[in-house]
């Protein structure tokens, strides 16, 4: 919004700053918008790149062996970070780990010739698992995401995190629970020679996504505004809760966890019918 006005958006057929890019036609609109103010955009990019380089230099990355972790899902964080470091001639010893990487054109392009590893799924790995969880990827974001907002931009003070209206106390609790597992439960498992495999994790995730208990469907489903991609101005959205009023207001509203919505007994039947039609579930 530092560069574009609402009139700039409307001139290329974009309705508002909350507009979502859904197809190639939308992408062409965005391209036209950016080209309309090419110099201004490049100036902002150059300034932010300088701020980012200064920030990473302050972390003394060149003197350390660095391990970067991200949920995934397309390798954008690695692509963007390594691009900045390469252009600024940073030479660091780094490894990138992900929960999962989708096998698509974007991930293949961004991660080409870039060293990375993924635990649950990757390009050419466990795609049968992906087909079952891709419509509820927000559940993995919940458990494997950072307990704070995403990086919005860089300024002279460093990384600026996206502000989310709700606090992230529940994500902090999940994060601390994971740390407790690593500190206390994992050593016990190791002492007893109990191994938790990828299949164990995947089966547990599939069970939660496809066959939640009523308590899980309500407890997790009532969490709202999870992350940057889930947040839109003036619209509160939940992982697994949806009302007829929300659907009436926005027929294209994201449905993050339809199994959770369908499990609940406090969801209007019209909403459940809409979801079954949307995801072709009438035969189930």
């Amino acid at each position: 919004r530092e560069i574009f006005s609402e009139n700039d958006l409307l001139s290329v057929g974009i309705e508002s700053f909350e507009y979502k890019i859904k197809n190639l036609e939308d992408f062409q609109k965005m391209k036209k918008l950016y080209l309309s103010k090419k110099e201004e955009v490049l100036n902002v990019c150059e300034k932010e790149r300088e701020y980012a380089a200064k920030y990473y230099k302050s972390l003394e990355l060149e003197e350390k062996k660095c391990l970067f972790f991200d949920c995934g899902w397309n390798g954008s964080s690695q692509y963007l970070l390594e691009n900045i470091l390469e252009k600024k001639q940073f030479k660091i010893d780094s490894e990138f780990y992900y929960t999962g990487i989708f096998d698509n054109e974007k991930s293949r392009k961004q991660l080409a010739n870039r060293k990375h590893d993924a635990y649950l799924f990757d390009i050419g790995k466990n795609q049968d698992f992906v087909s079952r969880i891709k419509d509820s990827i927000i559940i993995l974001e919940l458990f494997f995401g950072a307990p704070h907002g995403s990086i919005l931009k860089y300024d002279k003070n460093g990384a600026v995190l996206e502000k989310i209206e709700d606090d992230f106390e529940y994500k902090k609790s999940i994060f601390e629970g994971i740390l407790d597992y690593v500190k206390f439960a994992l050593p016990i498992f190791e002492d007893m020679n109990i191994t938790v495999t990828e299949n164990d994790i995947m089966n547990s995730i599939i069970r939660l996504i496809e066959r939640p208990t009523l308590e899980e469907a309500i407890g997790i489903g009532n969490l709202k505004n999870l992350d940057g991609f889930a947040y839109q101005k003036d619209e509160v959205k939940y992982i697994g809760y949806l009302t007829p009023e929300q659907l009436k207001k926005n027929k294209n509203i994201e449905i993050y966890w339809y199994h959770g919505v369908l499990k609940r007994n406090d969801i209007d039947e019209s909403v459940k019918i809409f979801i079954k039609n949307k995801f072709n579930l009438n035969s189930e």
Side-chain angles (χ1 to χ4, degrees), residues 157-172:
N157 297 314
V160 179
L161 300 182
E162 187 172 33
K163 292 187 181 299
I164 307 297
E165 287 190 3
D166 277 2
D167 62 34
F168 268 40
E169 287 305 315
Y170 59 88
K171 285 201 78 174
K172 291 175 184 174

Side-chain angles (χ1 to χ4, degrees), residues 183-196:
K183 290 178 182 177
F184 304 115
L186 192 57
I188 295 173
F189 280 20
E190 291 174 345
D191 287 344
M192 300 178 67
N193 292 319
I194 298 173
T195 301
V196 179

Side-chain angles (χ1 to χ4, degrees), residues 76-88:
S76 299
S77 57
Q78 181 175 357
Y79 174 76
L80 295 171
L81 177 58
E82 289 186 345
N83 258 333
I84 292 173
L85 298 181
E86 288 164 7
K87 290 184 186 306
K88 292 300 176 180

Side-chain angles (χ1 to χ4, degrees), residues 45-55 84 88 154:
C45 291
E46 182 180 4
K47 184 186 296 184
E48 188 168 343
R49 190 163 55 244
E50 292 297 327
Y51 286 143
K54 180 181 177 182
Y55 169 68
I84 292 173
K88 292 300 176 180
Y154 297 91

Side-chain angles (χ1 to χ4, degrees), residues 258 273-284:
Y258 65 78
I273 292 172
F274 175 87
I275 288 176
K276 288 179 180 179
N277 289 332
K278 181 179 177 68
F279 292 97
N280 298 315
L281 303 175
N282 290 313
S283 60
E284 293 186 4

Side-chain angles (χ1 to χ4, degrees), residues 120-183:
L120 292 180
F121 57 93
D122 201 348
I123 299 171
K125 173 186 175 182
N126 291 337
Q127 290 303 302
D128 54 334
F129 172 74
V130 176
S131 68
R132 297 179 68 175
I133 59 91
K134 62 182 176 62
D135 290 326
S136 302
I137 198 69
I138 200 167
I139 298 296
L140 272 71
E141 287 273 0
L142 175 62
F143 290 103
F144 295 102
H148 53 67
S150 303
I151 292 178
L152 179 64
K153 63 178 182 178
Y154 297 91
D155 66 13
K156 60 184 179 181
N157 297 314
V160 179
L161 300 182
E162 187 172 33
K163 292 187 181 299
I164 307 297
E165 287 190 3
D166 277 2
D167 62 34
F168 268 40
E169 287 305 315
Y170 59 88
K171 285 201 78 174
K172 291 175 184 174
S173 298
I174 291 171
F175 182 71
E176 288 173 5
I178 292 171
L179 285 181
D180 284 345
Y181 170 79
V182 173
K183 290 178 182 177

